[in-house]
Amino acid sequence: MRKVYGVSLSPYVRKVLMTLNLKGLDYEMVHCTPMDKPEGFEELSPLGKIPAYIDDAISISDSSVICQYLEDTHPDNPIFPTSPIDKAKVRWFEEYADTKMIEVCGSGLFFERVVKPAFLQIEPDEERVRENLEHEMPKILSYLESKLDGNYIIGEQLTLADITIGSNLLNARYANYEIDAQQWPKLAAYFQRLCETDCFKAQIESDKVFLNQ
Ligand SMILES: N[C@@H](CCC(=O)N[C@@H](CS)C(=O)NCC(=O)O)C(=O)O
């Protein structure tokens, strides 16, 4: 049986869960957080990070590695396009979201506004939140807005790039941040479209359990 270690409120873990769901693959969730990992977790994830993944054939960590493995072993309902150029573009946006968006939507907003008060019982760093809202978030949104010219970030197919970008935008939303549709109209419409896909709708429903909504 496939097992995913982590918690869906992490955009990295959510990427893997959405890929599994998109491909119609069953899995069991082993709930753990960076602060509360099971004994021996480092054997599954040598860097100590979530997500980790196991099945009958392999034990791996890192969301990009896991998603690529799922794509290679289950090519139906692909999360990558076929052309090398589009594939490279998808990988770039995945990297951008995994590196830059997580810093702002994840650590800068979600961690401060949700994880600290709700799970760690500590006050958010308001200065850090303000800096992210006023400076960092607008840079990200303007960059994405400038790259959008279709229904999805690359072409007309939902790919891992959309899953990863959308997963980070969800964390910003969970931290009470909404994209201003006047300033970033294409991006606001794109995020709305993503949230209406079956794959996002199902994930948003299951995230509610952890957000006590
Ligand atoms: N490159 C990794 C990053 C995973 C990651 O940073 N996960 C965070 C949770 S959102 C974590 O486990 N942090 C704990 C730590 O860095 O010790 C991936 O794509 O899976």
Side-chain angles (χ1 to χ4, degrees), residues 25-109:
L25 302 174
D26 292 338
Y27 62 91
E28 190 182 302
M29 191 78 205
V30 182
H31 292 286
C32 60
T33 70
M35 282 85 74
D36 173 24
K37 299 176 227 171
E39 274 285 299
F41 184 70
E42 269 69 18
E43 273 176 43
L44 301 174
S45 176
L47 297 176
K49 296 178 193 258
I50 55 169
Y53 169 94
I54 57 174
D55 64 20
D56 293 341
I58 200 166
S59 160
I60 42 176
S61 56
D62 190 281
S63 62
S64 303
V65 173
I66 299 166
C67 290
Q68 182 67 62
Y69 168 73
L70 295 172
E71 177 79 344
D72 292 342
T73 49
H74 297 87
D76 284 355
N77 298 329
I79 52 167
F80 283 100
T82 48
S83 101
I85 293 176
D86 284 348
K87 243 185 220 170
K89 289 181 181 171
V90 166
R91 292 204 169 100
W92 158 247
F93 282 107
E94 184 193 6
E95 176 59 25
Y96 178 75
D98 276 352
T99 305
K100 185 64 197 171
M101 292 182 76
I102 190 92
E103 212 176 87
V104 178
C105 305
S107 323
L109 297 179

Side-chain angles (χ1 to χ4, degrees), residues 194-211:
L194 288 186
C195 290
E196 284 163 10
T197 60
D198 289 345
C199 164
F200 272 78
K201 273 201 280 200
Q203 193 56 53
I204 292 166
E205 265 319 295
S206 66
D207 287 348
K208 283 183 181 168
V209 175
F210 296 101
L211 292 164

